[in-house]
Amino acid sequence: MTYPLIDSTQAVSTRHPDVVIIGAGASGLMCAATAAKRGLNVLVLEKANKVGKKILMSGGGKCNFTNYDVRPEHFISQNPHFCKSALSQYTQWDFFSLVNEYAIEWEERKHGQLFCRHSAKDILNMLLAECQQQAGSVSIKTRQQIEQITYADGLFLIDTETQQIRSKQLVIATGALSIPTLGGSGFGYQLAQQFQLPLVPRRAGLVPFTFTDQLKHLCSTLSGLAIDVGARCGEAYFRENLLFTHRGMSGPVALQISNYWQPGQAIELDLLPEQNASDLLLQAKQQQAKSGLKALLSPLLSKKLVRELLEMYWPEYQDKSLAEIPDKRLMKIADSLNRWQIKPADTEGYRTAEVTLGGVSTEAVSSKSFVCKHQPGLYFIGEVLDVTGHLGGYNFQWAWSSGYACGTHLMLD
Ligand code: FDA
């Protein structure tokens, strides 16, 4: 499909747009479509050669576009109330209706996650189609290198390599640092600093863990194995699959808990989330005294994992029957199974992180319209802000909701 609204030539029509949006990702496109629906003429400047790269790569190419269950508790921010207004102005049901209006086939997966049945392209095409059929207009310029932005006499002056564009309203929708090859950039933070907006420290989120201790070897040996575990870090708890990889630990539970992990902290894994391991081992000692830990635990945890755990932590019991293991020792082993303390060395960082935690402080921005409180005409939306969702379609919902809320509050000249 081709879209006449996207153009990679340098020339921008001389007519002043009502608003310039920087970044043609999830939130920028939603904002553009919403504003144009109200009659605004919108100019979107995108640095990449294509628009919506993260949408296309998301959810393994199927885009987990929202979730049936969206609540403020699914978002992390220094101000946990900030997300409420936008999420109620544009809900998951609103986006879901739009998807259905375009007859996009979708499917529900675990935990209410909604994915495209065929391709993430359907979502991007829908957003571009929305940008095209409006009262106002949307023009998207790709391959735009923005050199500087200044503000004078109520106008933003946006200097690209070839020209200066003027606009009373400027929306920053440049996303965050994750995956530089998909457009991740620090542009929004630099601009925020230029306009003296506070920043919340940033770090990679929804990201796999790496290890340098003996767990490095264990993970690499078990690479490819997935098990259902509970993971706790501070107050946060998730129950999901853990995936061992050559580099460390990944899978949904590792990604979810990474949002709550600080370097140096331990994570507690419950390898038997359905059972009290103490009861299990002591009962088994009574009822099948001759069998060993390997035979008892392998059907529950996989042979490979049990072999590695025995070698690493309890080598003296590898070939012993349960009857030969003192109760006190069995209870210690059980405790390790229900509360395995692991200490990641680090995460894989922005190279593979799905999101960036922290960002432009919500203190500086209106939660209703996303305009900066001390800089008229300047708006920040999407992931550049200090709002990060859990895994499960929440980050796109934040992009849709913040993009829509901003689009409805932009001024018509
Ligand atoms: P987004 O990153 O979408 O867009 C920012 C745009 O700004 C990009 O097009 C970028 O090129 C452009 N830009 C940056 N700097 C610029 C500059 N200086 N000048 C001009 N343009 C500039 N979430 C979810 O809910 N469900 C999912 O399935 C997934 N899956 C997923 C997979 C992968 C691999 C990643 C990396 C991320 C996800 N996410 C996700 C997260 C989701 O993609 C992300 O939160 C949103 O895309 C954020 O939307 P934004 O509009 O804020 O930024």
Side-chain angles (χ1 to χ4, degrees), residues 22-28 45-48 50-55 57-59 63-65 115 144 146 173-176 178-179 182-185 187 353-355 381-384 392-397 399:
I22 304 195
S27 62
L45 301 176
E46 166 59 52
K47 74 167 178 178
K50 282 190 193 145
V51 304
K53 281 190 181 180
K54 278 194 187 166
I55 298 176
M57 294 305 290
S58 66
C63 186
N64 177 195
F65 54 82
F115 284 78
Q144 297 296 307
I146 292 159
T174 46
S178 331
I179 317 205
L182 294 180
S185 96
F187 180 88
E354 278 197 19
V355 289
I381 56 173
E383 203 185 315
V384 69
Y394 298 105
N395 286 294
F396 277 136
Q397 186 58 47

Side-chain angles (χ1 to χ4, degrees), residues 65-71 74-75 86-100 112 114 392-394 396-398 400-401:
F65 54 82
T66 192
N67 195 293
Y68 273 142
D69 180 21
V70 176
R71 282 174 281 133
H74 295 120
F75 298 86
L87 291 176
S88 63
Q89 288 181 63
Y90 193 81
T91 68
Q92 71 272 40
W93 307 115
D94 293 317
F95 194 78
F96 188 50
S97 305
L98 191 64
V99 165
N100 286 325
L114 299 178
Y394 298 105
F396 277 136
Q397 186 58 47
W398 175 244
W400 318 137
S401 295

Side-chain angles (χ1 to χ4, degrees), residues 24-40:
S27 62
L29 291 175
M30 178 53 108
C31 183
T34 309
K37 205 171 267 187
R38 294 176 47 236
L40 277 80

